[in-house]
Amino acid sequence: MKIIGAVLAVFYAGVMLFAVCREKSKSVSSVLIAAGSLLVLAYTLLDLIRGQNLILIMIIGMLGISAGALVNGVRQKNLHLHHHVIRLAAETVITVICWLGK
């Protein structure tokens, strides 16, 4: 369970960082997404290398990613609520898997 959670967390954070890097113009939403992704990666490294399961870092990182995505949707005047609900559900599942894998 621990490996599955780590793989999912790294994949999700990597995809979000890739999306930020592809944006032509950087904004507050880009900073929130990038910071959240880096926190998720930091959580994964701490968990795998040092054996410290600091789930609060993961939760704050996921909230940062969600907040950045929401701000981006509002900024572009293209807010898809269903997209954000699905994103929140996926982030919750990844977080629970990581938490149970301790």
Side-chain angles (χ1 to χ4, degrees):
M1 196 71 130
K2 184 175 189 173
I3 300 295
I4 293 170
V7 168
L8 288 173
V10 168
F11 179 74
Y12 185 70
V15 167
M16 296 312 298
L17 283 173
F18 179 73
V20 167
C21 290
R22 289 199 55 197
E23 281 185 13
K24 293 187 191 319
S25 64
K26 306 299 185 232
S27 63
V28 173
S29 61
S30 300
V31 172
L32 286 171
I33 292 171
S37 297
L38 292 175
L39 283 173
V40 170
L41 291 175
Y43 162 80
T44 306
L45 284 175
L46 285 172
D47 189 32
L48 292 177
I49 295 173
R50 299 191 68 198
Q52 295 177 329
N53 192 342
L54 304 171
I55 199 69
L56 188 59
I57 293 173
M58 169 75 99
I59 293 170
I60 293 169
M62 291 295 192
L63 288 174
I65 293 171
S66 288
L70 192 62
V71 167
N72 192 34
V74 170
R75 182 177 59 90
Q76 293 180 358
K77 296 180 180 158
N78 192 15
L79 185 64
H80 297 287
L81 191 57
H82 291 102
H83 170 81
H84 295 287
V85 170
I86 291 169
R87 174 188 298 277
L88 185 62
E91 290 172 348
T92 302
V93 168
I94 293 170
T95 303
V96 168
I97 289 172
C98 287
W99 179 64
L100 290 175
K102 53 178 173 170

